[in-house]
Amino acid sequence: MTHLYKVKNKQGEIVTFKPNYIQLAHLAERGAHRYNLIVKYRQGGITTLYAIDLLDEALWVRGMSCGITAHEAKRLPEYFNIVKRAFQNLPEQLKPITKTDTKYMYEFLTRFDGAPLDSSIYVATSIRGGTVQKLHITESAFVKDRTELAAGSKQAVPLSGSISEETTGNGFNEFYDTYMNFHNKPVVGEMDYKTYFYPWVIDPTYSLQGDLPEKTTEEIKIIEVSKQLYNIDITDGQLLWRRWKKDELKKEQVGAGLSGDQLFKQEYPLTLLEAFQSGVGAVFDQEKVAAIQPIPPLTKLQVDNQYKAGWETKNQQEKDETQKTLDKFYDLWQKGVWFWDLPKAGNEYVIGIDPSDGFGADFSVIDVWDKNSLTQVAQFYGKLRPDELAELAADMGHFYNKAFIGVENNMLSTILFLVKIYDNYYYEVKVDEKTNKRTKKIGWNTNTRTRDLMIDDFLILFDEDSLTIRSHITVGEMRTFVKKDNGKREHADGKHDDALVGGFIAMQMRRFYPKPARVFAVKPEGL
């Protein structure tokens, strides 16, 4: 494979394929393992490696069928040209007899010496029908319909076959979930995917001539990380190349709206976190998100131990109050509410609710926060009918010292049920300019203006380290909350932001928390 095939190098020259550093490293790490997930920096040559590898199999192994899939049709010529160039530049005496030579496919009848082949290699956006012994999926993180990928192309590969998926990062999407599921397994089985990550610093060609006597704080960190994670002593030349590439990317405005640093991390990640966080413009600083340590919710035993400590020394009134609190906790806990702190006397609480119909893809969320310490104290995340959600919200509001509740008004039925059983909730009073009539609008209205406002407020508090976030659901949604091409900030494709929206609304409730009612002296009779 290393002396027969021709490829086009980065200078546009046709040269004999000689594996570069990353290609050799991957071949050595992969060995004979049949299921592989590869995350790498841009233009490392993994796609070329697999195109040559699969062509080599199809040319010399009888009955071998190989497929390469692209996430979009416009990339098909690019990938097939690698195969086509290598095949067309073979010595004539080694070329097999072809049955089909179509736009994106070769079928080989017999080998150059007349031995039967009946093999093929082709490139497509998906593979349906027939059997493919070896399948390579390019830019897998950009495949929008991973359900179709799993049910379609991958099902064409028999158990004896092999599947490889390579990609640059594209945010914390479904590919990320799949990758990390296997990446975190302590033992890789024969039928498991093996994971690989290749940072840009392993490529010695990414370097310029010169010295760099003064280094930035970030560059010093890169030197430390490279040594710690990869045992690589990064050179001044590599750091100079990084500076040059950052400026080039910024000028070209690749991924418009991102800074040079962000663009470089997107194309040339140093760590696995950088590879995924930079793919689609993560809204939250992912290093800070990664530093959050979600806390498991309180168990019944923990609450029992905490509240019944010194039980024998309590008087009857204290016992009755404690038991009342425990009974309410048990009731809500059994309904699926997660608790990190139970209510404290005198504390003020706010609740954000993102309702759903209880049946669709969205989840119903009740997010409870301590108004002053900005600590997440409880959360419900599940699927409930609007009437059930309203009842649970009222119970949680009463439990948390008559908390102030804000309900997103996209589900009117939830609000209608809630106002019948709870009276401390957010509303606006609208005044008609013509009639001067006042109308009470119940619920938080998320529109173009208020959506940006509540996201920005939450972001500022997060960046200032003012928030204490406990829920792993909330943290998970912060990883996949992105800025889309249209500028809208929302969940990545296939992900959710319901828990985050609950938190966003809860933080807004701090702004509108009701002022204490004024108390007037009662006028004595007869005066």
Side-chain angles (χ1 to χ4, degrees), residues 205-266:
T205 65
Y206 289 158
S207 181
L208 296 176
Q209 292 292 325
D211 296 323
L212 198 60
E214 293 187 10
K215 299 175 178 63
T216 66
T217 301
E218 185 179 23
E219 287 168 342
I220 292 171
K221 182 180 178 181
I222 290 170
I223 293 171
E224 293 171 350
V225 171
S226 300
K227 185 65 175 179
Q228 180 182 356
L229 295 183
Y230 315 116
N231 197 29
I232 291 175
D233 293 311
I234 192 169
T235 65
D236 284 4
Q238 286 176 290
L239 292 175
L240 285 169
W241 176 86
R242 178 179 176 273
R243 289 187 181 186
W244 166 77
K245 179 57 73 171
K246 277 172 51 181
D247 290 340
E248 180 187 59
L249 288 170
K250 190 172 182 179
K251 289 174 184 176
E252 291 178 358
Q253 286 295 296
V254 180
L258 299 179
S259 68
D261 281 325
Q262 289 173 308
L263 288 167
F264 186 86
K265 289 178 181 179
Q266 175 177 296

Side-chain angles (χ1 to χ4, degrees), residues 382-399:
K383 296 194 176 184
L384 292 177
R385 296 194 317 262
D387 59 319
E388 295 172 327
L389 182 65
E391 183 178 346
L392 181 60
D395 285 345
M396 291 176 68
H398 283 297
F399 188 51

Side-chain angles (χ1 to χ4, degrees), residues 339-358:
F339 292 90
W340 293 280
D341 290 328
L342 268 59
K344 295 179 176 65
N347 280 24
E348 298 171 322
Y349 298 94
V350 289
I351 297 178
I353 299 178
D354 186 15
S356 72
D357 59 13

Side-chain angles (χ1 to χ4, degrees), residues 435-447:
T435 65
N436 208 33
K437 183 178 179 181
R438 297 164 66 88
T439 304
K440 188 177 181 180
K441 297 288 186 181
I442 302 171
W444 174 264
N445 180 23
T446 301
N447 52 45

